Amino acid sequence: MVRVTTSDRRSVLRAGTGLVAGGAFAAACSPFTSSSGAVAPHAPASASPGSASPTRTPGATARPLAAPAPRAFPRQPAQISHGPRGRSRVALTFHGQGEPSVARAVLGEAERHGARVTVLAVGSWLDAHPDLARRILDGGHDLGNHTQRHLDINAMPEAEAAAEITGCAERLRRLTGSIGTWFRPSRATRASPLVERLARHAGYPHVLSYDVDSLDFTSPGATAVARNILGGVRDGSVVSLHLGYADTVAALPAVLDELDRRGLRAVTTTELIG
């Protein structure tokens, strides 16, 4: 068992001082609860065919990025839950919502360990914090689409579900020049057949699922988060985490140290699959 010590927790939580109390984090991203709140480093890639030229989103403070576009992987299913089992790599994927300071602490902790991650951002979160798109990509991480408002997309009528996907895609395009490398449905582990079709029509050849759930959105404590990840992770795993929880920040040092001890390299989903 991996043990996260009190000193580990205190040292990491200093990166997000003042965010734990007073409801700083939104409710969790799960099928039952609302969300909390690429290859490293990426070479610039053009936006998807037919995309408009990047323009600045109101409130953005920096020029648009030249971000990678989605890729089709011919040997992969439409819904990807893990990568190749024969390579010692894993993908840590984060539902992108929550207090910005905690998000930056998560990214910083990953980078201190030489890890690259995948962030599936909620469009309304990008509206409120457009600078985080640049922060994520500048760190060499994947950035993708987790719908515009983070509602139960599988339960929506077709037109509303399509608007959730394309709404977030347009935010990403305006901020980065791309609709993002991946799409993950909100409030669901897997997309319904309708949502899978709508995502493909929006420009995402694959839907990104996962095979290991950290359950960090339940705020079980850093030790439990680490145990949930390390008890299930193996070659090719895609792990589900969230940016908006102090437990996640506190668990990361022990998780990344143990992955390193096992010879499992934390990479972006693009690198894991590619």
Side-chain angles (χ1 to χ4, degrees), residues 181-228:
T181 48
W182 299 96
F183 168 75
R184 173 172 286 168
S186 49
R187 308 270 197 102
T189 303
R190 294 180 62 84
S192 67
L194 171 62
V195 171
E196 180 186 311
R197 175 172 60 81
L198 293 173
R200 186 167 55 250
H201 182 73
Y204 302 97
H206 305 279
V207 172
L208 182 59
S209 183
Y210 47 88
D211 66 326
V212 177
D213 193 344
S214 70
L215 298 176
D216 57 350
F217 61 86
T218 65
S219 297
T223 301
V225 171
R227 183 172 60 244
N228 291 339

Side-chain angles (χ1 to χ4, degrees), residues 22-214:
F25 309 111
C29 167
S30 76
F32 311 104
T33 338
S34 62
S35 175
S36 156
V39 178
H42 288 301
S46 59
S48 54
S51 65
S53 299
T55 57
R56 181 171 295 184
T57 297
T61 57
R63 67 188 184 283
L65 299 164
R71 288 174 53 189
F73 297 92
R75 296 184 180 181
Q76 293 294 330
Q79 298 205 47
I80 295 174
S81 59
H82 62 82
R85 294 300 192 188
R87 290 188 289 177
S88 298
R89 298 176 179 179
V90 299
L92 304 180
T93 67
F94 291 83
H95 302 239
Q97 194 172 6
E99 174 59 47
S101 295
V102 179
R104 292 188 180 96
V106 168
L107 296 171
E109 194 60 47
E111 290 157 12
R112 277 189 288 277
H113 283 77
R116 295 294 177 263
V117 304
T118 300
V119 177
L120 294 312
V122 175
S124 58
W125 185 66
L126 293 175
D127 286 341
H129 312 289
D131 59 303
L132 285 172
R134 172 171 293 279
R135 171 66 185 88
I136 292 162
L137 291 173
D138 280 353
H141 310 291
D142 270 356
L143 177 62
N145 180 332
H146 196 36
T147 76
Q148 176 58 24
R149 295 176 296 164
H150 199 269
L151 304 175
D152 186 356
I153 192 168
N154 284 345
M156 290 179 178
E158 181 171 351
E160 189 176 353
E164 283 294 306
I165 299 170
T166 59
C168 185
E170 283 306 311
R171 267 77 175 172
L172 286 164
R173 193 198 308 275
R174 289 200 298 266
L175 285 169
T176 74
S178 163
I179 62 172
T181 48
W182 299 96
F183 168 75
R184 173 172 286 168
S186 49
R187 308 270 197 102
T189 303
R190 294 180 62 84
S192 67
L194 171 62
V195 171
E196 180 186 311
R197 175 172 60 81
L198 293 173
R200 186 167 55 250
H201 182 73
Y204 302 97
H206 305 279
V207 172
L208 182 59
S209 183
Y210 47 88
D211 66 326
V212 177
D213 193 344
S214 70

Side-chain angles (χ1 to χ4, degrees), residues 2-3 14-15 17 22 39-41 66 115 122 142 154-155 157 182 213 250 255 260 265 267:
V2 173
R3 187 169 69 90
R14 278 198 293 268
T17 301
V39 178
V122 175
D142 270 356
N154 284 345
W182 299 96
D213 193 344
V255 168
D260 186 61
R265 183 180 170 215
V267 299

